[in-house]
Amino acid sequence: MRKLILGFLVLSTFLHAQDKPKLVVGIVVDQMKMEYLYRFSNDFSNNGFKKLMEKGFTFHNMHYNYMPTYTAPGHAAIFTGAFPNVNGIVGNDWFNKATGKEMYCTDDASVSTLVEGTESEGKMSPKNLFSTTITDELKLATNFKSKVIGISIKDRGAILPAGHFADWAFWYTKTGNFISSSFYGNKLPDWTIQFNEEKNYIKYIEKGWDLLKPKEIYNESLKDNNPYEGKLFKKTPFFPYDTKEMFTNNDAGVLRTTPYGNNLIADFAKRAIENEKMGADGITDFLTMSFSSTDYVGHVLGPRSIELQDTYLRLDETIADFLAYLDEKVGKGNYLVFLTADHAGAENATYLKDNKYEVESLNSKNIQQSIIDFSQKTFGENLLLDYSNFNIFINKEKVNQKGLVLNDVKQKFKAFLLSQSFISNIFTEEEIQNSSSNNQLLQIISNGYDPKQNGELVLLFKPGFMEYSSTGTTHGSPYSYDTHVPCLFYGWKIKKGESFSKKTITQIAPTLAQKLKITMPNGTQSEVLEEVLNK
């Protein structure tokens, strides 16, 4: 009888432990197209991306449902389940109507850095994020007993996912240190100070960057040093790269534009899990990780470069190693991982044009100057206050001074811009705010439009046109090449499977809330991914 009772107690304890995961790990891969999981599949190991896909649940048709598809709005949308017009993060930076100046998404003059010598990089917090995150709601649900930590090369990639109530957010700087701000505490944890003192980035700088595999393996990419690649710290884009020389001529920030930035994030995340004892008890903790090196490499060298493919093959190994670490440290079945991206990325427009698709790279300064020239010719005055993030801000004070009607000015600006060959459409603030679901692209623009923070007109380029240099790539549009990202769930109570129906990025956070049986973030529309909720 005693054995029976003991067995029942052990079984009850086991079942109770499985009621919630010990740790949730939210992984964001910066600028990752879903297509990379297909294109590079033959060269991946069996224990990284393939393991997540083959033993977890894959949403093949996940999309962003707003514009602009940038890094900060992407991280905010994933973790709030809300559009930029609700969560307030309408760009990485944007024109502030109240001050007449550019503002950055996580700027906070009221806080200070916790690491000497990083003053300009450390005055950051989530104060510009209007809605709660899934990490915030976990904190509330456990009376702040859960630990929440955000880690990234980029400040915005660490701060926005971790939310308002995070224990810590850490980001990398050009000094080689991981830093945080006084928003989170008065002093860095001792383990973070020790990690910085070890100068862990140096071992990667000293490795140099050569191909992980034989060059013939990279036949999914264009040849090395092709005309669509930019230069990496003034160096010809050709393997191998002397990262020690690049470091000597620049600073520790060079690590960002190599695959090793991702390795350093994983190293730091392991140290956080160990020292903060994340996933060590029955209270669910939440770690957010954003791998940014993919974005840096993609921007400079483009989506068809060998460098980008090598970065993903190395990230695959990093993820495989991290999953093995979680198995050992937290235990199989005790953790839940989801992996997605903050946006995808366009094909290089010059590459497309060279292959007979009539698109091109656009120069934002030229666009801005053409608007100024038009305004001066039409109204005798430059009425353009700012042009950025596809937004046109009109100087209303000057409009009033000249006795003009604002709506007439908008319509004339719109007519001029519609005459440009690269423009698909122009929408006024009234059209955007009165949009209906009948026009899908207009609805996507509306989802990203905050009337207090956006302009009087929003531009929509034709597909394939890119406001960037002739090399590398960028993102930001509402088209599928910028919106289509991976979404993988793996681990605790996730059955193997896949879905090909269209899903949207704002479904992730409410799905996690339902999975964890906690309150949904306060700005979400509450649409969920039922496939990973069904038992």
Side-chain angles (χ1 to χ4, degrees), residues 123-403:
K123 297 171 74 65
M124 305 286 171
S125 86
K127 79 166 190 175
N128 298 320
L129 182 66
F130 296 158
S131 53
T132 62
T133 59
I134 183 63
T135 46
D136 287 331
E137 296 300 341
L138 179 63
K139 275 285 194 179
L140 291 170
T142 60
N143 290 324
F144 289 79
K145 294 176 184 176
S146 292
K147 283 204 170 177
V148 171
I149 294 178
I151 299 169
S152 178
I153 289 290
K154 298 179 180 180
D155 46 47
R156 55 190 182 267
I159 292 169
L160 298 173
H164 304 85
F165 306 139
D167 294 270
W168 287 101
F170 301 103
W171 54 98
Y172 185 72
T173 75
K174 61 186 178 182
T175 65
N177 291 320
F178 279 92
I179 67 170
S180 192
S181 78
S182 58
F183 178 86
Y184 302 97
N186 298 320
K187 176 179 172 290
L188 284 180
D190 290 341
W191 63 266
T192 307
I193 295 172
Q194 181 180 344
F195 188 93
N196 286 340
E197 289 175 348
E198 292 169 6
K199 297 187 182 299
N200 287 277
Y201 66 93
I202 291 292
K203 65 184 177 185
Y204 294 115
I205 294 290
E206 291 179 343
K207 283 168 70 75
W209 182 15
D210 204 350
L211 290 172
L212 178 66
K213 298 187 177 185
K215 202 162 193 175
E216 58 268 20
I217 293 294
Y218 297 80
N219 57 0
E220 294 86 2
S221 302
L222 299 178
K223 66 179 182 179
D224 208 3
N225 189 21
N226 67 70
Y228 313 108
E229 297 178 292
K231 290 187 176 182
L232 198 61
F233 296 100
K234 299 181 180 180
K235 297 296 180 182
T236 300
F238 194 82
F239 282 102
Y241 288 95
D242 187 344
T243 49
K244 286 189 287 186
E245 181 185 357
M246 291 192 296
F247 169 66
T248 300
N249 294 332
N250 296 277
D251 52 47
V254 300
L255 198 70
R256 295 167 172 151
T257 319
T258 74
Y260 303 130
N262 295 333
N263 292 86
L264 194 65
I265 288 298
D267 294 344
F268 190 78
K270 290 178 184 177
R271 198 72 67 92
I273 290 171
E274 291 166 8
N275 287 275
E276 297 292 340
K277 296 180 171 53
M278 300 185 79
D281 56 27
I283 300 173
T284 302
D285 297 321
F286 206 127
L287 174 70
T288 74
M289 303 169 65
S290 181
F291 291 113
S292 307
S293 290
T294 45
D295 184 68
Y296 286 105
V297 174
H299 273 299
V300 176
L301 298 157
R304 297 284 168 179
S305 65
I306 290 179
E307 286 84 353
L308 189 75
Q309 182 171 356
D310 193 68
T311 298
Y312 273 96
L313 298 189
R314 290 178 180 275
L315 178 58
D316 178 66
E317 289 196 340
T318 300
I319 289 173
D321 176 75
F322 195 73
L323 292 175
Y325 169 82
L326 291 176
D327 284 344
E328 180 182 348
K329 193 71 180 177
V330 185
K332 293 182 179 180
N334 289 330
Y335 62 89
L336 171 63
V337 170
F338 71 91
L339 181 148
T340 189
D342 55 349
H343 51 75
E347 292 285 356
N348 177 272
T350 307
Y351 171 62
L352 296 178
K353 188 173 184 178
D354 286 349
N355 284 279
K356 302 181 180 180
Y357 180 18
E358 287 301 316
V359 294
E360 60 182 304
S361 295
L362 305 169
N363 187 308
S364 60
K365 290 183 179 179
N366 290 344
I367 295 174
Q368 178 173 298
Q369 189 59 53
S370 72
I371 297 170
I372 292 172
D373 292 344
F374 164 77
S375 180
Q376 289 175 330
K377 179 180 178 180
T378 306
F379 305 106
E381 183 96 50
N382 175 23
L383 301 180
L384 179 67
L385 192 59
D386 184 79
Y387 169 64
S388 56
N389 297 346
F390 309 104
N391 280 245
I392 290 176
F393 294 82
I394 295 174
N395 192 323
K396 295 179 182 178
E397 184 177 343
K398 285 186 177 180
V399 169
N400 290 333
Q401 288 173 353
K402 292 188 71 68

Side-chain angles (χ1 to χ4, degrees), residues 30-32 62-77 84 89-92 154 156 295 299 341-346 389-391 441 444-445 447-449 459-460 465 473-485 505:
D30 206 327
Q31 200 189 123
M32 185 175 186
M62 172 64 70
H63 287 266
Y64 276 84
N65 46 356
Y66 63 80
M67 189 183 96
T69 41
Y70 293 148
T71 296
H75 283 81
I89 305 300
V90 297
N92 294 333
K154 298 179 180 180
R156 55 190 182 267
D295 184 68
H299 273 299
D342 55 349
H343 51 75
N389 297 346
F390 309 104
N391 280 245
L441 285 175
I444 288 174
I445 291 171
N447 292 341
Y449 186 89
L459 281 62
L460 178 64
F465 284 85
T473 193
T474 193
H475 46 85
S477 82
Y479 298 117
S480 62
Y481 50 77
D482 284 338
T483 66
H484 190 192
V485 295
I505 205 72

Side-chain angles (χ1 to χ4, degrees), residues 478-515:
Y479 298 117
S480 62
Y481 50 77
D482 284 338
T483 66
H484 190 192
V485 295
C487 182
L488 314 175
F489 280 77
Y490 171 86
W492 177 80
K493 290 190 177 182
I494 298 296
K495 288 187 177 181
K496 175 182 176 180
E498 58 185 348
S499 168
F500 294 91
S501 61
K502 185 178 179 180
K503 308 295 182 182
T504 57
I505 205 72
T506 47
Q507 291 180 279
I508 293 176
T511 299
L512 288 167
Q514 293 273 278
K515 193 82 174 167

